[in-house]
Amino acid sequence: VWKAAGTLAAVIRLPAARDPEVSAIVLLDGAAELAERCLRALAAADGDVACETIVLLNDPDEELEQLVRRSTTGARAIACRANAGPGVGWNLGAAVARAPRLATLHEDSEPEPGWLRPLCETMDESGAGAVGSRLLNGDGSVQNCGWALFSDASHLPLNAATAPEVAAASEPTPADMLSGAAMLVDREAVRAVGGWDERFHPAVFMDIDVSTAIRSSGRPVLSVPASRVVHAGGTFDRRPNSPLTGPQLRHFLLERNGPRFVAKWGALMRELAPPPADHDPETVRAAVGAAHSLTRARAERLGSEERPGPAAQAERPFTGVEGPVVEGEDGFAVAPAVEAALRAGERELVDDYCRWLAEREGQVSTELAAAEATVAEQARELAELRTAVAAVEQQNREVHATLAGVVNSRSWRLRNSLARLLRR
């Protein structure tokens, strides 16, 4: 296989077990360079776990599609000509997966060798419904060991800054939420809660929701330190050739999906710890510590309490149709009805995003005008203060000159001489 620069690149031979223990579903979202690094890392990562690879080409450009079609072997590819995003993407991948366990990976994830076996062993030993890899930054530092969830649906990563004792742990630890960037789920546990809830499409609260649903059904949710995955992060809001991009997208989706999450899990939210009162590091650590203490207590109760009733079910407005994925001569494709629903949903989402941005711009403009008025008032007051200071300084100079004249006068010297004579 020849790369664009004319150099020979090795074909990426992806796991392709005939009787897989795990189906690895990889979401590729438009960045061919990231996708290649992810797939090469996956190809080199594990040989002792029977695994198949399912690649979801999420509204791909030609470069990304050619990378998968021509430079890889072994994967079962699903082409979606609309933006499925993670949650819908995992549901589409699950529709063709053959294994009893599903591993999810983002294109900006690079599994280290041996990443999958600790996840499988932890699930075997604990009965967990979901287990997550420890996500690392490019420099090897801990990005997160899962997340802590607060009573207002805000959330913070568990890492050395927020939860040093969790980051230092060598054994699996409970978490409120795991990241779909590198997560292994029991297929039956996900099926029991209805799959990934597509009301949170295209992103944000999807991973929080499925983690909450699995835990609420009575299955532990654990972060596994022995499984390590390097994660670049933040690629979903940098999709090329899409209006759903930019630094404000995450804030928009938080405001849009947060109330939906609270409406679904309101009773559970009241049992959670309050969020940090401010951004002071000590305050944040204390709040995360309180939240994680409750998380550990809930995890311990799972083994002693009776199994709870059915968890709240996911909504599937996009893939909740018969045959969401269809098989063709060139692999798998997403059913036209699903793609049409995704495109319609994206148009509506873009409209909402644009209105939200316009409202934010109006708010910022109002705040900016108020700030400019405050600055102008402060500048006027400063000018008046400077005038007053200048007047005082002038008065001081005049007094100083007067005193100097008095001290240096003949009468002042004579008076001082008489005073000395009197003292004698």
Side-chain angles (χ1 to χ4, degrees):
V1 177
W2 291 88
K3 300 183 80 171
T7 57
L8 187 63
V11 172
I12 304 171
R13 303 186 185 281
L14 295 165
R18 293 185 178 180
D19 187 18
E21 179 184 349
V22 173
S23 296
I25 307 172
V26 187
L27 177 68
L28 302 183
D29 203 26
E33 182 180 354
L34 278 177
E36 182 175 358
R37 291 208 302 265
C38 172
L39 295 177
R40 289 195 182 280
L42 177 61
D46 271 291
D48 61 342
V49 176
C51 179
E52 69 168 352
T53 307
I54 298 169
V55 172
L56 180 71
L57 290 160
N58 188 49
D59 196 15
D61 59 17
E62 184 176 356
E63 183 182 8
L64 177 61
E65 188 155 8
Q66 292 303 320
L67 168 71
V68 173
R69 302 290 188 193
R70 296 183 179 180
S71 302
T72 70
T73 62
R76 306 167 73 203
I78 304 174
C80 183
R81 305 300 174 182
N83 178 24
V88 175
W90 307 144
N91 284 330
L92 292 170
V96 302
R98 296 176 297 172
R101 291 172 176 171
L102 310 175
T104 63
L105 286 172
H106 289 177
E107 66 183 352
D108 56 0
S109 302
E110 296 180 53
E112 292 190 353
W115 75 290
L116 199 49
R117 174 54 63 191
L119 297 179
C120 293
E121 290 177 347
T122 300
M123 189 170 282
D124 288 337
E125 295 167 1
S126 65
V131 290
S133 301
R134 175 166 289 190
L135 298 185
L136 308 176
N137 296 308
D139 61 2
S141 60
V142 176
Q143 188 178 106
N144 77 69
C145 315
W147 294 66
L149 180 64
F150 300 103
S151 56
D152 64 347
S154 62
H155 40 280
L156 287 171
L158 302 172
N159 55 33
T162 62
E165 72 288 350
V166 178
S170 58
E171 296 297 322
T173 55
D176 291 328
M177 163 200 164
L178 302 173
S179 172
M183 183 196 303
L184 179 71
V185 297
D186 179 85
R187 186 169 186 164
E188 179 58 29
V190 174
R191 187 204 63 77
V193 299
W196 281 267
D197 197 328
E198 296 170 7
R199 78 185 84 182
F200 303 110
H201 174 75
V204 181
F205 282 98
M206 192 77 70
D207 296 337
I208 305 174
D209 175 78
V210 75
S211 299
T212 302
I214 290 173
R215 187 177 63 253
S216 297
S217 69
R219 302 285 295 273
V221 174
L222 303 173
S223 173
V224 183
S227 175
R228 296 161 57 89
V229 173
V230 177
H231 180 233
T235 58
F236 92 94
D237 52 8
R238 297 198 297 270
R239 295 182 70 241
N241 305 317
S242 171
L244 291 177
T245 188
Q248 293 297 321
L249 179 60
R250 184 177 296 273
H251 299 293
F252 163 68
L253 293 174
L254 281 168
E255 290 187 17
R256 174 181 179 269
N257 292 343
R260 300 181 182 189
F261 180 82
V262 172
K264 180 178 179 180
W265 299 107
L268 180 146
M269 305 300 293
R270 291 189 287 273
E271 301 175 1
L272 302 179
D278 53 51
H279 298 291
D280 180 79
E282 290 295 331
T283 305
V284 171
R285 276 194 292 272
V288 171
H292 196 251
S293 177
L294 294 176
T295 303
R296 290 195 303 269
R298 286 193 298 270
E300 292 170 358
R301 290 197 301 269
L302 285 179
S304 59
E305 294 180 342
E306 292 185 6
R307 200 170 186 85
Q313 292 293 293
E315 293 182 3
R316 302 277 290 276
F318 300 108
T319 63
V321 297
E322 185 177 355
V325 178
V326 294
E327 188 170 7
E329 296 180 358
D330 193 26
F332 295 94
V334 175
V338 174
E339 290 184 339
L342 286 170
R343 283 191 285 269
E346 179 143 328
R347 286 193 295 270
E348 181 180 347
L349 189 65
V350 169
D351 288 344
D352 291 344
Y353 184 36
C354 290
R355 281 192 293 270
W356 182 87
L357 286 172
E359 291 173 1
R360 286 291 293 263
E361 183 180 7
Q363 294 172 1
V364 171
S365 297
T366 301
E367 293 170 0
L368 182 60
E372 289 175 344
T374 300
V375 169
E377 178 62 20
Q378 291 175 342
R380 184 188 64 77
E381 293 175 354
L382 181 60
E384 292 177 353
L385 182 59
R386 285 174 175 168
T387 300
V389 169
V392 171
E393 289 176 345
Q394 178 61 31
Q395 290 176 359
N396 287 342
R397 286 193 292 270
E398 293 173 355
V399 170
H400 178 75
T402 301
L403 289 174
V406 170
V407 170
N408 295 327
S409 68
R410 183 178 301 174
S411 61
W412 181 266
R413 291 196 298 273
L414 178 60
R415 186 175 180 181
N416 283 344
S417 298
L418 290 173
R420 284 195 297 272
L421 288 172
L422 290 172
R423 284 198 297 274
R424 292 174 183 173

